[in-house]
Amino acid sequence: MKKMLKLLKFIGKLILLFLLSSVIVVGIFRFVPIPITPYQILNAISGDGLTKSWASYDEVSPNFYRAVIAAEDARFYSHSGIDWRAVKDAQRHNELYPKKRRRGASTITMQTAKNTFLWHGRNYVRKGLEAYFSYLIEFFWGKKRILEVYGNVVEMGEGMYGVEAASQKYFGKSASKLTKRQAALLAAILPNPKRWNPAKPTAYLNRRASTIQARMNSTGLKD
């Protein structure tokens, strides 16, 4: 019994330490550029390389933010980190069509939490931590900072992260100069950035970019 109590106390201390340290780290990253992420480290070790360049919110064209909201999270401004309506819709779709490609419900906030603090995977521990960090960054960062960090940690190609690096590579210009079409093309590759090249779009990628571009004016983002 005593051993069990000691174990429970030890576990409790670990949980408390994790909660305190995570709040401190999230608080610091509210103001400080993210130097590197666990996912970037793991990919670099595996041989993908590492190319990134931090760009502040105002150094990125609003076209990019509109494009990723249109492509990835249409209700970005109306949820608090997790879009439960999208979760229910995805569950219903996956139950009705089990043989089709599974539909996800990952918001921009959830993707930012995962890409900044965690590893990629589908186990319940990782998903639970993703939900925790999603609510945490919504509370401490707010929507503008979430978009800023997302734009810098999102994978845009093999070993390449962030819109600035992608804009320079694919279009030879700063992210601040992205046109609507270029932003839509960048957003269009996000489901599989290692496969598609926005500078040489396939017919499918062009169609997807056109759909995204048509939705960009209704995202709720203000310049």
Side-chain angles (χ1 to χ4, degrees), residues 114-153:
K114 174 183 67 178
N115 290 334
T116 305
F117 301 106
L118 304 170
W119 64 98
H120 287 204
R122 293 185 178 275
N123 62 75
Y124 288 110
V125 172
R126 211 275 300 157
K127 293 298 290 184
L129 289 172
E130 181 182 295
Y132 167 72
F133 277 105
S134 294
Y135 284 122
L136 205 60
I137 63 176
E138 281 277 350
F139 180 79
F140 281 101
W141 291 1
K143 298 294 186 180
K144 183 176 179 179
R145 177 61 174 175
I146 289 170
L147 284 175
E148 181 180 40
V149 174
Y150 175 87
N152 281 283
V153 300

Side-chain angles (χ1 to χ4, degrees), residues 57-66 175-179 183:
Y57 184 90
D58 294 328
E59 292 174 327
V60 175
S61 170
N63 289 326
F64 175 75
Y65 298 126
R66 290 193 180 97
S176 64
K177 305 296 183 182
L178 284 170
T179 65

